[in-house]
Amino acid sequence: MANDMNVNASTVHTREAFYVGGQYVTDSKGTHSLQGQMYVERLLPVESQRDPRRPFPIIFIHGATRSGMDWFTRPDGQPGWASYFLSRGFECYIVDLPFRGRSPWEPGNGTMIAYPAESISRMFTACKDSGTWPQAKLHTQWPGAGTMGDPIFDQFYASGLQILSNPVLQEQASQAACAALLDRIGKPAILVGHSAGGSIPWLAADIRPQLVRMIVALEPTGPPFSKVGIKSGPGAPYGITNAPITYCPAVADPHTDFAKITVGAPSPGLIDCILQAEEPPPRQLVNLTGVRVLLVTAPASYHAQYDWGTVRFLRQAGVHVDHLKLEEKGVHGNGHMMFMEKNSDDVAAEIVKWIDEYEA
């Protein structure tokens, strides 16, 4: 637990903001606009507070309907993970993915959608009372009632954003922008991705494997080949992504090339998952095999039903992945927004322990 490691929210650091990526697009009038660029903030502890044991910067990638603000301040006003990881000596990069927040959207980029407060409350903040999955009753760590009219929920919902209805376009633009950020940093980094943003580290590592040291996947897009969440149904045709990702043997058509099998839930309270069949041998994510991965699951989240399948799929595909189930480390009561909840520092502490284990 992190109780003996209180966060210093005022860690002395330098702050820089810039944009990466994007390309000029010609319109019907022959004029140009820059599209697909990504806003980034860099937070660098002053030299006296940097930790030489941690030479790899961390890039924080938010989820759907969210922005980089998620990592700065929790909805209850307490310091977020940016403060925590800064206080541990990490160089931090916080992004607004393309078409979100301070990363511009152009009308030609596609249709935007938004979710009502009731859906957000049910899935993320008031799960104990309104969640429909078995683990929802375990949710105790959200600070407040988690419903409309509660000031903490209202602050959280106020920070929500519209998102592109086309996940392939969103993932491809985010992949290109994150690759541009990795190129600018110029040394291997640790990618932390949450929820729908959890597919971006796979895609970024796929085209910049030499610049991704580790991936921390906080309940990433899943389960394999499916989508469970506010809107459930078929999804992730490439298993863990909507956009194309490199496999060996190569995948030309994800709807026909994968040999799939439905695997029964390994224990009560879990759901069946679609995996690759064992014959022919599962296709390998060849550009991810050199990246260490930690997949984090919260005990009260709807992901607790099926993250087991995502972990098994990654291992089938040759990825070295550890599965951190928070309750097994004595961290209880968290939902999908674990990094915003009352015990978020305890969650962060477990991730730092894992990073340090592989950097020792």
Side-chain angles (χ1 to χ4, degrees), residues 220-228 235-236 239 271-274 303 306-307 309-310:
T221 299
F225 302 110
S226 308
K227 177 178 173 57
V228 172
I271 63 175
D272 300 348
C273 288
I274 302 172
H303 274 255
Y306 60 77
D307 273 358
T310 304

Side-chain angles (χ1 to χ4, degrees), residues 4-82:
D4 60 343
M5 301 171 63
N6 294 326
V7 171
N8 178 5
S10 59
T11 300
V12 180
H13 64 279
T14 60
R15 184 175 183 178
E16 175 189 12
F18 55 90
Y19 284 84
V20 296
Q23 58 183 350
Y24 283 101
V25 177
T26 307
D27 63 19
S28 59
K29 299 177 182 179
T31 59
H32 298 80
S33 62
L34 187 64
Q35 299 183 20
Q37 67 269 40
M38 183 172 73
Y39 176 84
V40 183
E41 291 195 33
R42 180 196 187 206
L43 310 177
L44 180 65
V46 297
E47 188 170 358
S48 62
Q49 296 188 11
R50 296 177 202 167
D51 191 334
R53 297 174 304 161
R54 293 168 184 153
F56 304 108
I58 295 182
I59 301 173
F60 290 97
I61 302 171
H62 59 80
T65 79
R66 310 305 306 163
S67 73
M69 180 182 173
D70 283 1
W71 311 104
F72 286 105
T73 306
R74 295 180 349 197
D76 61 0
Q78 295 301 306
W81 275 14

Side-chain angles (χ1 to χ4, degrees), residues 113-196:
I113 60 174
Y115 294 120
E118 290 83 357
S119 297
I120 298 298
S121 176
R122 182 180 69 255
M123 298 301 296
F124 304 139
T125 62
C127 315
K128 186 173 183 179
D129 297 323
S130 57
T132 57
W133 56 97
Q135 298 85 351
K137 62 182 180 296
L138 302 174
H139 193 216
T140 60
Q141 292 293 347
W142 183 261
T147 53
M148 289 182 292
D150 178 90
I152 296 173
F153 175 81
D154 292 346
Q155 184 67 212
F156 172 62
Y157 189 65
S159 66
L161 300 169
Q162 67 284 350
I163 59 173
L164 278 180
S165 61
N166 184 339
V168 177
L169 176 60
Q170 180 66 67
E171 287 186 356
Q172 288 178 324
S174 300
Q175 177 188 40
C178 286
L181 176 56
L182 289 165
D183 290 342
R184 174 167 173 151
I185 294 171
K187 61 181 178 181
I190 301 167
L191 305 187
V192 176
H194 175 242
S195 194

Side-chain angles (χ1 to χ4, degrees), residues 202 240 285 288 293 295 309-321:
W202 315 132
I240 54 172
L285 289 161
L288 303 187
V293 173
L295 193 146
T310 304
V311 170
R312 191 173 296 185
F313 179 89
L314 289 166
R315 289 173 177 165
Q316 272 190 318
V319 181
H320 301 286
V321 55

Side-chain angles (χ1 to χ4, degrees), residues 324-344:
L324 171 57
K325 300 178 183 179
L326 291 177
E327 69 274 19
E328 294 180 354
K329 297 294 184 179
V331 181
H332 298 281
N334 290 102
H336 188 54
M337 309 306 291
M338 64 191 83
F339 54 93
M340 294 184 176
E341 298 189 314
K342 292 183 288 187
N343 64 344
S344 60

